Amino acid sequence: MTTSTPDLGYVHGYAPAVRRSHGRRTVANSATHLLPRLRPGASLLDVGCGVGTLTADLAAHVAPGRVVGVDSSVEVLQAARSAAAGRGVHVELTVADAHALPFADGEFDVVHAHQVLQHLPDPVAALREMRRVCRPGGTVAVRDADYATVHWHPTSPGLRSWLSGYRATARAAGGDPDAGARLLALARAAGFSEVVPSASVWVFATAEDRAWWGGTWAERTENSELTDRLRRNGFSEEDVTAAAAAWRDWAADPDGWTAMVHGELLCRP
């Protein structure tokens, strides 16, 4: 599944299912590697903040410190404002490009990015920018999925086809769906010398988690920006229908289990 010309852009888009999926992210399920580096009063920049639930949770951990969230989408920042208001925290939100952050050198104690580098055409340039705006002795923290590690039980041809199609589509969009495994190499290329690597796993095995994870992916597969991108990268209508059905069948199976490994780094500028 390849294209002859680049199909650049954010592969997921911002369909309702994407927002529901991203809106479940918290420090507890997505940023525990950063917890030892958070302290009240610290200033924090969240790069690629998206719908902002994780940003708001980070803000609660560093309150009364300054927290700024940036994203390339004006649309999604509206959701981030609502997330901050719902948590009762103050977050400055602005549109920005991760490759050219509009902040001074050393402006933040902590610079964080969750599931961002995998979508960028030049993740090393973004890491250099994150390093630049982090104060000496501060922390740059990143976490990204490695889609090569996704495993289901029970598996099916529809799920295997979906994974192959998703990875090809993510690459066609200028990203790297397996970036979680390459974070250390990216950080070294960006000039970091003091790096603490780790990994953690998302597991979905309860009926509630399967319904949420499988349901959002089924919807994204058949009714979102991702749907159009899958089609442009070789998926037929039958492939789309089969993949969405496979996600729903897996979610409904009481034996259903899936896991995904995420690479993590804590870096000093």
Side-chain angles (χ1 to χ4, degrees), residues 32 101 147 202 247:
T32 56
L101 295 169
Y147 277 85
W202 278 348
W247 271 113

Side-chain angles (χ1 to χ4, degrees), residues 231-244:
R231 290 176 181 138
R232 294 197 295 269
N233 284 276
F235 251 48
S236 66
E237 290 301 321
E238 291 76 15
D239 292 330
V240 168
T241 300

Side-chain angles (χ1 to χ4, degrees), residues 10-13 16-18 20-22 25 118-119 145 147 150 152 159 162-163 165-167 170 177 202 204 209-224 226-227 230 240-241 243-248 250-251 258 260 262:
Y10 181 46
V11 69
H12 294 287
V18 177
R20 290 200 308 276
S21 177
H22 294 179
R25 294 172 181 174
Q118 64 185 282
H119 299 296
Y147 277 85
V150 175
W152 295 271
L159 289 174
W162 174 87
L163 182 57
Y166 174 79
R167 291 173 76 203
W202 278 348
F204 305 100
D209 283 349
R210 285 195 310 272
W212 169 72
W213 187 243
T216 59
W217 272 118
E219 186 176 335
R220 281 192 257 182
T221 298
E222 65 186 357
N223 188 29
S224 74
L226 177 61
T227 314
L230 286 167
V240 168
T241 300
W247 271 113
R248 292 190 174 100
W250 170 83
T258 194
M260 173 191 288
H262 297 79

Side-chain angles (χ1 to χ4, degrees), residues 1 6 16 41 51 70 102 158 195 207 213 234 241:
M1 297 178 184
V51 297
V70 299
V195 181
W213 187 243
T241 300

Side-chain angles (χ1 to χ4, degrees), residues 134-150:
C134 187
R135 69 165 177 82
T139 296
V140 173
V142 294
R143 183 175 190 257
D144 271 274
D146 178 0
Y147 277 85
T149 68
V150 175

Side-chain angles (χ1 to χ4, degrees), residues 50 57 68 105 108 122 134 156 161 163 182 196 202-203 224 234 242 267:
D57 205 15
V68 180
D105 295 358
F108 297 95
D122 192 345
C134 187
S156 68
S161 174
L163 182 57
R182 310 189 222 286
V196 179
W202 278 348
V203 175
S224 74
C267 311

Side-chain angles (χ1 to χ4, degrees), residues 85-101:
R87 284 295 303 271
V89 295
H90 177 68
V91 177
E92 300 172 35
L93 295 163
T94 188
V95 174
D97 181 353
H99 302 94
L101 295 169

Side-chain angles (χ1 to χ4, degrees), residues 85-135:
R87 284 295 303 271
V89 295
H90 177 68
V91 177
E92 300 172 35
L93 295 163
T94 188
V95 174
D97 181 353
H99 302 94
L101 295 169
F103 304 107
D105 295 358
E107 191 165 339
F108 297 95
D109 297 311
V110 178
V111 183
H112 169 264
H114 183 263
Q115 312 296 1
V116 173
L117 297 180
Q118 64 185 282
H119 299 296
L120 299 180
D122 192 345
V124 173
L127 279 167
R128 287 181 180 137
E129 274 293 89
M130 294 169 69
R131 181 172 177 245
R132 179 184 65 79
V133 303
C134 187
R135 69 165 177 82

